[in-house]
Amino acid sequence: DQQVKQNSPSLSVQEGRISILNCDYTNSMFDYFLWYKKYPAEGPTFLISISSIKDKNEDGRFTVFLNKSAKHLSLHIVPSQPGDSAVYFCAASAGANSKLTFGKGITLSVRP
Amino acid sequence: EAQVTQNPRYLITVTGKKLTVTCSQNMNHEYMSWYRQDPGLGLRQIYYSMNVEVTDKGDVPEGYKVSRKEKRNFPLILESPSPNQTSLYFCASSLRGLIREQYFGPGTRLTVT
């Protein structure tokens, strides 16, 4: 049973437009959520995170929104750039010393 | 430069031939972990270690072994590799109190024929 779900395998957007990447979770014990970005032939790198006590966290062009009642989070990238083309993994943990549970990932393509 | 290194980066081997994938980090991190990435399945944890001589199973430990004799190193051992262990493997590390913020190595592409 997958506890972190990224139901869309891919997303294609035009450069300059908004990219919205969605993630759903089932475990109500999760209290911290992260997005990792992965380029081909490289390991994932941490992008942005949000604690369950917040509903929004912003870092430059990247904003993560958390809807706890819906068990849903989303990553917004505005404006999207070709260099944002990568695989994005949603991850969650239940406590600071708890393991990360990852989603399947979504491949974002930003068209010039 | 703070980093996690893995060797080899690419490996093709045959069924049953023991192999070891090394992982080393230079950030003095207590926590280290191994993941495999497969199409349609995302990242799944194989084994993890909270500190030297402390290891535990992740979600998919079957067919793998690990050891943690030194803080910086966390090798992944496949005693008798099988084709279903063909995958992309990542090592990661973090501070013990910040397991949620892990640093990943560049990956090892393993093919077992």
Side-chain angles (χ1 to χ4, degrees):
Chain A
D1 177 37
Q2 207 169 19
Q3 298 185 60
V4 178
K5 302 177 182 179
Q6 295 178 260
N7 293 320
S8 300
S10 63
L11 175 69
S12 180
V13 300
Q14 193 76 37
E15 180 179 6
R17 306 294 286 266
I18 184 172
S19 295
I20 301 177
L21 288 67
N22 293 308
C23 178
D24 297 293
Y25 62 96
T26 58
N27 188 341
S28 57
M29 298 300 292
F30 287 148
D31 66 351
Y32 204 82
F33 304 89
L34 307 91
W35 287 92
Y36 278 81
K37 178 179 179 179
K38 183 185 176 306
Y39 291 119
E42 295 182 12
T45 55
F46 170 75
L47 181 60
I48 192 170
S49 63
I50 187 168
S51 164
S52 61
I53 63 173
K54 295 185 176 181
D55 54 19
K56 176 183 175 181
N57 188 28
E58 193 171 353
D59 184 1
R61 297 185 296 114
F62 302 91
T63 303
V64 56
F65 295 92
L66 176 62
N67 182 333
K68 290 187 290 294
S69 61
K71 293 190 174 67
H72 175 83
L73 63 152
S74 60
L75 174 67
H76 292 212
I77 307 173
V78 184
S80 302
Q81 300 174 353
D84 296 328
S85 297
V87 176
Y88 290 79
F89 290 100
C90 174
S93 72
N97 274 344
S98 179
K99 69 169 189 174
L100 287 177
T101 299
F102 285 86
K104 294 180 181 180
I106 179 171
T107 300
L108 173 65
S109 299
V110 180
R111 307 186 303 273
Chain B
E1 179 191 355
Q3 59 182 353
V4 179
T5 57
Q6 295 179 227
N7 283 293
R9 293 290 311 277
Y10 302 91
L11 179 61
I12 300 174
T13 189
V14 296
T15 299
K17 186 177 181 182
K18 181 180 178 180
L19 67 92
T20 299
V21 183
T22 64
C23 172
S24 183
Q25 50 91 8
N26 62 1
M27 295 169 280
N28 203 34
H29 285 166
E30 298 92 353
Y31 181 88
M32 297 186 75
S33 180
W34 276 102
Y35 296 88
R36 59 179 288 174
Q37 183 191 356
D38 301 290
L41 295 175
L43 287 163
R44 295 180 293 166
Q45 190 179 52
I46 303 170
Y47 267 94
Y48 65 95
S49 169
M50 297 293 282
N51 214 327
V52 176
E53 303 291 0
V54 181
T55 63
D56 209 345
K57 296 177 181 179
D59 298 315
V60 287
E62 296 79 17
Y64 305 94
K65 284 176 57 177
V66 293
S67 69
R68 187 89 182 274
K69 295 186 171 64
E70 304 166 283
K71 197 172 188 179
R72 63 182 293 125
N73 296 323
F74 190 45
L76 180 69
I77 303 156
L78 285 72
E79 295 268 359
S80 182
S82 62
N84 65 12
Q85 292 178 298
T86 292
S87 187
L88 179 58
Y89 292 86
F90 291 101
C91 180
S93 74
S94 71
L95 291 171
R96 181 175 179 144
L98 282 172
I99 288 172
R100 53 184 54 161
E101 293 179 14
Q102 296 181 24
Y103 293 81
F104 283 80
T108 295
R109 171 77 65 183
L110 172 65
T111 302
V112 183
T113 62

